[in-house]
Amino acid sequence: MSVEPGAPEGRGSAFRRMLTGTAGALLFPFVAILLSFFLGAIIVLATGNNPVTAYAALVKGAVGSPLALGRTLLYTTPLIFTGLAVAVAFRAGLFNIGGEGQLYIGAITAAWLGVSLGSLGPVAIPIVLTACVITGFLWGSLPGILKAYFGAHEVITTIMLNFVAIDLAYYLAQHPLRQRGPIPGTETIDYAARIPTIGTALGRANYGFFIAILAAVVVYLLLWRTRRGFELRAVGLSPGAANYAGMRLGLNTILALAIGGSLAGLGGGVEILGVYGNMDVPFVTNLGFNGIGVALLGRNHPVGVVLGALLFGGLTSGAQEMQFATDVPLQLANVLLAVILLLVTATKLVELIVGKRARDFAAGTHLEKGLGS
Amino acid sequence: MQDLIGAIGPILQSTVRNATPLVFAALGGLFSERSGVVNIGLEGLMLISAFAGVVGAHFTGSALVGLLTALGAGLIFALIHALMCVTFEADQIISGTAINLLALGGTGFLMVVIFGSGGTSPRVNGFESVAIPLLSKIPVIGAAFFDQSLLVYLMYVLVPIVYFVVFRTPFGLRLRATGEVPEAVDTAGVNVARMRYYGVALSGLLAACGGAYLSMGLLSAFTEGMTNGRGFIALAALIFGRWNPIGAAGAALLFGLAQAVTFRVNEQTLPIEFVDMLPYVLTIIVLAGFGGRAIAPAAIGKPYRKE
């Protein structure tokens, strides 16, 4: 079983390696995005609309005005967190499909503490968000422990734990934490204890976006500037060699998934304090699953994750304008995102389009290991 | 006591109804995973089929045509998964996740395009309950098992058939071998890619039956996101049943029973959320307890490259 995430290993000078690395990093996402938009254009045509008009409206709705830009940032923020949650685990050779549930754990933590500590005002914000990091960390460590000590594959356990987390959050939101009133959900958090908006020009966009950027920087520093990060990446690149070098596989497995959990958990907290103010049942869905697409599009690098999240966020934001300007339902954005995810790891497809060298670029999108081994 | 006996019939009936879509999807997942292709897209396969079934039934007025369009949609989506995983060597987990998101986004999109708005589709003619003479008259269990829709009877028949096909036919042997040691299958002159296409295609058709049952058996309309995690519960049943059709069907019935019982007891005693967790928690325990690696087909998740 070979595990091969990380930068492709080119030959030749460092400069050339960098070039192939960057080219490879751009090639797969580029092909996936292009094909997805091409397919989207066909769908738009099929609905009797002009693809050029639709896409122009899409772009305008994403970045065409301060208000549109603010909306894009609003949708981008949680995807940076869930994308990072996938990327950190991936760098350590692990698949974290649990972002969805980890985000819910953070969100219910914030919904609960935000109400309890609301009277503290802005002071409550860092306390609540720290708590989200901790609960996310603990929840994320579960699949790590299950893998390290019991051999249960993290793909299946993170999927299953998603539903456990969602059910748990919904139970808490509907029973012990339920608000008085007809709508199922928690009490609303005092405005003083919420993350403030950036400015009226940008609409509802809030400082949570900068917390997300900060998280991306921290992830970069952790992975590439600390000994622990070196270990995590070494374990991801070659568990055998890392083990031989005295690195503890079990500990690094648990840490990678737990750190992923803390990032998604923080994302859930930022959604509650920045956007929703409480947890309604049902709560926003698929932020965790779309984080997988964001991470893969961004080649599991923090910079790539931010760019991938901006693309996903922009599409979601622009689709509203597209629906307004044409008859194309805004759900088209979800279709485009799904198609991008479908194609972004399709090694042979890219090979067909750009020739045999594609395989050299493929490293970084595959964890080639069976669920059974 | 009299109350309890009186409740057994309805509880069993509800158990069978809850379990039916799970059994279909789990059997589907079994074919795919036994051939070596992970299928976490069962949820999406069910959802798109549930939708396609309602579209077919809506425009023709026939539930049978609805079933056919459901099968068609399930097959197409499964073939997309196979194309990605087998031919293009995309990651199977990623492709499965994408199939789920594509079905969710696609049905949301098509609801607006076809029916003019999201939410719930118009009502369609579904599969009515058909009581089997004599059998349905058995006290307590008769109505529960033998006064159900045709799709439920199809499910009863399919469990032993799938068992027979997988464990007693040359096709089943090749399928299982493809999921365990594809190199050996290749050496024996069997086309690994083709076997995997068969496995994934069958998973699409079976999951489609589950989807059709949701929108044309349990209900008579499509609601956005109506699968509501059932594809993942089916995946849990498959693992809990250790990739065996009888085991998977048993697990699905157990999960169905847990839901049925909860609907009857007071919500204050046992919150529904904890019952909903049960399949997932049990699956994690099974995976951890049996050391997950030992039971899954050995080559599952890996693209096969001819050397």
Side-chain angles (χ1 to χ4, degrees):
Chain A
M1 125 180 168
S2 64
V3 184
E4 42 176 340
E9 292 299 312
R11 276 168 293 278
S13 69
F15 177 67
R16 197 182 141 199
R17 249 199 328 271
M18 197 182 75
L19 266 188
T20 50
T22 315
L26 296 177
L27 186 60
F28 272 73
F30 184 71
V31 170
I33 293 167
L34 212 66
L35 282 177
S36 167
F37 275 74
F38 179 69
L39 205 72
I42 296 175
I43 297 173
V44 170
L45 270 176
T47 62
N49 286 279
N50 182 345
V52 178
T53 322
Y55 281 153
L58 189 78
V59 173
K60 187 169 162 243
V63 293
S65 67
L67 214 57
L69 198 64
R71 203 172 48 215
T72 295
L73 296 184
L74 193 71
Y75 291 129
T76 301
T77 304
L79 294 172
I80 294 177
F81 287 111
T82 53
L84 289 172
V86 177
V88 171
F90 207 101
R91 286 284 168 183
L94 298 158
F95 238 140
N96 180 14
I97 314 287
E100 189 84 6
Q102 292 152 4
L103 183 131
Y104 271 67
I105 292 296
I108 193 67
T109 305
W112 167 49
L113 276 183
V115 170
S116 313
L117 306 177
S119 54
L120 296 178
V123 180
I125 298 172
I127 302 174
V128 172
L129 292 182
T130 306
C132 296
V133 169
I134 293 170
T135 52
F137 187 92
L138 293 174
W139 189 262
S141 71
L142 282 178
I145 293 167
L146 286 165
K147 171 143 192 161
Y149 294 108
F150 300 97
H153 199 286
E154 82 278 4
V155 165
I156 305 295
T157 53
T158 50
I159 289 175
M160 299 298 154
L161 283 169
N162 277 337
F163 292 95
V164 179
I166 293 169
D167 284 328
L168 189 65
Y170 280 176
Y171 166 73
L172 293 170
Q174 285 178 292
H175 296 276
L177 305 176
R178 182 174 178 138
Q179 64 173 332
R180 287 176 296 273
I183 305 156
T186 62
E187 298 269 353
T188 305
I189 298 167
D190 200 303
Y191 272 99
R194 304 256 199 105
I195 298 171
T197 52
I198 299 171
T200 42
L202 289 175
R204 285 159 60 219
N206 60 72
Y207 282 98
F209 177 74
F210 297 106
I211 301 177
I213 298 292
L214 190 68
V217 172
V218 169
V219 166
Y220 175 80
L221 294 176
L222 170 79
L223 283 178
W224 279 278
R225 292 288 181 272
T226 68
R227 189 189 150 73
R228 174 58 62 197
F230 176 74
E231 280 203 19
L232 289 175
R233 287 184 299 120
V235 167
L237 284 170
S238 173
N243 192 28
Y244 188 72
M247 297 171 189
R248 291 160 64 192
L249 294 185
L251 177 72
N252 284 299
T253 297
I254 296 170
L255 269 180
L257 287 167
I259 293 168
S262 66
L263 288 160
L266 180 58
V270 167
E271 281 300 275
I272 292 291
L273 293 190
V275 185
Y276 297 97
N278 80 327
M279 183 190 257
D280 278 335
V281 178
F283 190 57
V284 55
T285 55
N286 284 337
L287 292 175
F289 290 121
N290 277 330
I292 301 170
V294 165
L296 288 170
L297 209 53
R299 308 287 289 180
N300 298 297
H301 189 285
V303 176
V305 166
V306 172
L307 294 176
L310 277 167
L311 179 82
F312 273 40
L315 270 174
T316 311
S317 164
Q320 303 183 3
E321 177 79 25
M322 180 187 68
Q323 176 171 271
F324 187 67
T326 64
D327 299 334
V328 184
L330 60 85
Q331 286 85 349
L332 181 71
N334 298 333
V335 176
L336 294 181
L337 299 185
V339 173
I340 290 174
L341 182 60
L342 194 65
L343 297 176
V344 78
T345 66
T347 317
K348 280 282 185 72
L349 181 65
V350 180
E351 207 174 285
L352 270 180
I353 295 169
V354 295
K356 282 280 175 197
R357 278 174 309 151
R359 171 119 352 131
D360 301 338
F361 300 141
T365 57
H366 274 255
L367 280 174
E368 293 190 8
K369 54 180 179 176
L371 292 184
S373 54
Chain B
M1 199 60 202
Q2 205 60 38
D3 268 11
L4 194 68
I5 293 170
I8 288 177
I11 285 179
L12 284 178
Q13 187 163 36
S14 152
T15 300
V16 173
R17 287 184 180 166
N18 290 331
T20 298
L22 304 179
V23 174
F24 277 125
L27 292 178
L30 189 139
F31 273 113
S32 174
E33 304 221 333
R34 282 284 185 175
S35 79
V37 180
V38 185
N39 200 339
I40 65 169
L42 289 173
E43 175 89 0
L45 295 177
M46 285 172 96
L47 189 67
I48 194 75
S49 318
F51 176 75
V54 161
V55 172
H58 175 77
F59 286 108
T60 64
S62 154
L64 210 60
V65 174
L67 179 61
L68 290 177
T69 49
L71 289 169
L75 184 64
I76 290 169
F77 266 56
L79 288 177
I80 294 175
H81 186 53
L83 181 72
M84 288 299 143
C85 297
V86 181
T87 306
F88 292 150
E89 296 180 5
D91 190 282
Q92 300 178 5
I93 306 293
I94 301 299
S95 174
T97 307
I99 290 287
N100 288 335
L101 292 174
L102 189 61
L104 202 62
T107 51
F109 179 81
L110 290 172
M111 276 294 282
V112 180
V113 171
I114 295 177
F115 296 118
S117 72
T120 301
S121 77
R123 281 184 62 85
V124 296
N125 295 325
F127 288 94
E128 304 291 333
S129 289
V130 181
I132 295 181
L134 294 180
L135 287 176
S136 62
K137 298 289 179 244
I138 302 171
V140 186
I141 61 163
F145 290 96
F146 302 110
D147 189 2
Q148 298 274 14
S149 89
L150 282 175
L151 288 171
V152 174
Y153 302 134
L154 178 66
M155 181 269 285
Y156 294 160
V157 179
L158 275 174
V159 175
I161 289 180
V162 169
Y163 181 86
F164 182 81
V165 168
V166 170
F167 292 107
R168 294 281 185 275
T169 64
F171 171 81
L173 180 65
R174 284 191 199 128
L175 188 86
R176 283 181 292 133
T178 307
E180 298 286 347
V181 271
E183 302 80 9
V185 175
D186 194 11
T187 312
V190 176
N191 188 330
V192 170
R194 188 180 301 163
M195 288 311 294
R196 290 188 166 170
Y197 263 91
Y198 287 149
V200 178
L202 282 168
S203 80
L205 293 173
L206 284 161
C209 294
Y213 180 72
L214 281 180
S215 62
M216 296 190 298
L218 268 183
L219 297 177
S220 304
F222 176 82
T223 305
E224 278 185 56
M226 74 185 303
T227 40
N228 197 17
R230 284 186 179 86
F232 291 102
I233 301 181
L235 192 68
L238 178 63
I239 298 168
F240 197 64
R242 310 185 91 180
W243 286 268
N244 178 307
I246 314 280
L253 278 170
L254 177 73
F255 300 158
L257 175 68
Q259 281 180 350
V261 170
T262 327
F263 289 141
R264 307 277 308 184
V265 301
N266 192 340
E267 262 244 11
Q268 302 302 321
T269 12
L270 190 63
I272 186 82
E273 289 87 1
F274 287 100
V275 179
D276 289 345
M277 275 181 209
L278 191 74
Y280 310 115
V281 173
L282 284 177
T283 301
I284 292 170
I285 292 170
V286 165
L287 274 184
F290 295 107
R293 40 195 135 193
I295 37 179
I300 200 167
K302 295 178 223 172
Y304 178 69
R305 288 194 192 121
K306 227 172 173 144
E307 293 308 324

